[in-house]
Amino acid sequence: KIESIKGGYLKVKTLNKNPRWLVWTESNIPYWEIKVNGRPVKAYTANYLFQAIYLPPGDNEVMFEYPGVWRQAWYSLSSIVDF
């Protein structure tokens, strides 16, 4: 069930009996922050472009969030300068 969706943000709730892959048709570009039940998870690339995450069985709350402008600037700066 989609709880909230807007530019750079998606929150969904899932219920599955077995482990599953959830594929979101959003480009799998760097810096997406993805959490399942409040814990960060790794995004995999599905179909050459999209984001896929592994979901454990049961009730899950999934959040995809792309960082705002200031955090994007910080990521860019930190990739150039070694802090």
Side-chain angles (χ1 to χ4, degrees):
K1 177 181 176 189
I2 296 175
E3 297 275 308
S4 178
I5 187 168
K6 57 186 174 183
Y9 183 83
L10 172 70
K11 183 177 176 183
V12 297
K13 289 198 176 190
T14 66
L15 174 60
N16 44 301
K17 291 182 182 178
N18 299 307
R20 296 276 188 243
W21 286 95
L22 173 67
V23 177
W24 185 28
T25 55
E26 178 69 56
S27 299
N28 190 20
I29 56 177
Y31 308 122
W32 274 94
E33 297 170 359
I34 305 166
K35 294 180 181 178
V36 175
N37 301 325
R39 294 188 176 124
V41 296
K42 180 181 177 182
Y44 297 90
T45 301
N47 299 335
Y48 302 100
L49 178 65
F50 305 127
Q51 298 178 29
I53 60 168
Y54 182 78
L55 289 177
D59 289 318
N60 296 294
E61 183 177 84
V62 182
M63 191 260 322
F64 293 82
E65 184 174 23
Y66 199 72
V69 174
W70 293 110
R71 233 175 340 164
Q72 289 178 41
W74 173 254
Y75 289 143
S76 296
L77 182 62
S78 65
S79 70
I80 296 169
V81 179
D82 187 25
F83 290 107

